[in-house]
Amino acid sequence: MNTAITDKYSKTMRVLHWLTAMIIMTLLAVGFYMAGIDPDASDKYDLYPYHKAFGMIALLLVLVRLPVRFKSDIPQPLIGLKKWEQHLSHLVHIGLYAAMLSMTVSGYFMNSTFPYVTGVDMFGLFSVPDITPKSEYWNGICHEIHSFTAWAFLVLLTLHLAGVAKHRLMDDKENDVLPRMM
Ligand code: HEM
Ligand code: HEM
């Protein structure tokens, strides 16, 4: 990781941050909504293809974002922040990267192991092939990981947003971290 002094995230980091944030927050809402629909309802599976296709776009964005993160100059922690605030925000960022990876990979593997579908249909344009053998057992494990990570994601995101809001609304102006990502 580079630690050059810079007061803003690079343009690439900022674009990737807001693109992934928008897609993932929508996928979380849609995912909980569609999983909660009664299995006997006629519209139960209407949203699944869109959730999966946008989930695969999220996977691609995460796979681009991780190497970009390690090659980019990252702004130093703001000196006005307390030590525990710096450590907590660092831990939450690591958690968010882990959750992004776990959520997207478990989704792809869940689909890939599911015995009754083949590939992920990308809006009727092409299909992303399966990369695992079919297995009800592994499908169940991937489903558990996907559901667990979704709840962990909500906790991490709440902490992330609470931190950003606290530094913006309750701290001195020079401790506001939001302009670094805008
Ligand atoms: C960052 C990306 C993703 C997010 C945030 C996300 C989020 C969610 C959430 C919140 C649920 C409901 C969990 C539950 O209550 O059990 C869900 C379910 C589901 N997701 Fe994702 N997902 C993502 C990527 C994917 C991908 C890539 C696929 C497949 C290619 C996928 C396939 C599914 C399926 C099939 C379900 C329904 C499972 C069921 O019927 O219970 N997801 N997702
Ligand atoms: C799913 C949604 C989101 C995810 C996965 C996410 C993830 C992350 C990650 C991993 C970082 C650390 C960047 C790094 O140093 O490598 C970060 C930074 C940041 N995020 Fe988010 N974020 C999300 C939503 C948001 C939202 C909605 C806001 C604004 C309200 C926001 C504001 C920020 C800010 C201001 C920073 C820079 C923090 C600093 O300079 O210390 N994020 N985000």
Side-chain angles (χ1 to χ4, degrees), residues 27-28 31-32 34 48 51 55 103-104 107 110 143 146-147 150:
L27 283 169
L28 281 170
F32 281 121
M34 69 184 205
Y48 277 51
H51 180 87
M103 206 69 226
T104 48
M110 176 169 39
H143 188 269
H146 203 65
S147 299

Side-chain angles (χ1 to χ4, degrees), residues 9 13 17-18 20-21 24-25 65 69 74 89 93 96-97 100 153 157 160-161 164 177-178 180-181:
Y9 284 89
M13 281 285 289
H17 174 271
W18 291 114
T20 39
I24 289 177
M25 287 190 292
R65 186 170 173 182
R69 165 66 170 85
I74 300 299
S89 87
H93 290 166
L96 284 168
Y97 281 119
M100 284 189 266
F153 218 126
L157 196 54
H160 187 53
L161 298 186
V164 174
V177 290
L178 193 56
R180 289 147 60 98
M181 201 42 107

Side-chain angles (χ1 to χ4, degrees), residues 36-45:
I37 298 176
D38 183 338
D40 295 328
S42 60
D43 61 348
K44 167 75 180 166
Y45 296 103

Side-chain angles (χ1 to χ4, degrees), residues 19-179:
L19 263 181
T20 39
M22 278 189 303
I23 292 190
I24 289 177
M25 287 190 292
T26 309
L27 283 169
L28 281 170
V30 170
F32 281 121
Y33 172 75
M34 69 184 205
I37 298 176
D38 183 338
D40 295 328
S42 60
D43 61 348
K44 167 75 180 166
Y45 296 103
D46 286 2
L47 288 170
Y48 277 51
Y50 299 103
H51 180 87
K52 291 182 192 180
F54 278 105
M56 294 307 289
I57 294 174
L59 171 61
L60 183 68
L61 285 171
V62 172
L63 293 180
V64 171
R65 186 170 173 182
L66 283 170
V68 167
R69 165 66 170 85
F70 285 105
K71 288 201 173 113
S72 299
D73 291 336
I74 300 299
Q76 301 278 356
L78 290 170
I79 39 168
L81 301 190
K82 299 184 189 73
K83 270 272 167 275
W84 69 264
E85 290 177 321
Q86 293 181 15
H87 290 316
L88 183 61
S89 87
H90 189 57
L91 272 182
V92 171
H93 290 166
I94 293 173
L96 284 168
Y97 281 119
M100 284 189 266
L101 206 52
S102 167
M103 206 69 226
T104 48
V105 171
S106 64
Y108 184 24
F109 275 51
M110 176 169 39
N111 196 76
S112 182
T113 51
F114 192 53
Y116 311 105
V117 295
T118 306
V120 182
D121 175 50
M122 298 299 285
F123 312 106
L125 297 172
F126 64 95
S127 175
V128 182
D130 296 329
I131 45 165
T132 63
K134 298 293 177 187
S135 154
E136 301 239 358
Y137 173 77
W138 283 106
N139 176 257
I141 304 267
C142 295
H143 188 269
E144 288 294 314
I145 296 174
H146 203 65
S147 299
F148 173 80
T149 312
W151 287 102
F153 218 126
L154 284 188
V155 173
L156 289 163
L157 196 54
T158 306
L159 285 170
H160 187 53
L161 298 186
V164 174
K166 186 217 174 240
H167 299 317
R168 182 163 186 86
L169 305 174
M170 295 164 71
D171 291 352
D172 296 337
K173 206 168 184 298
E174 61 269 21
N175 288 339
D176 183 4
V177 290
L178 193 56

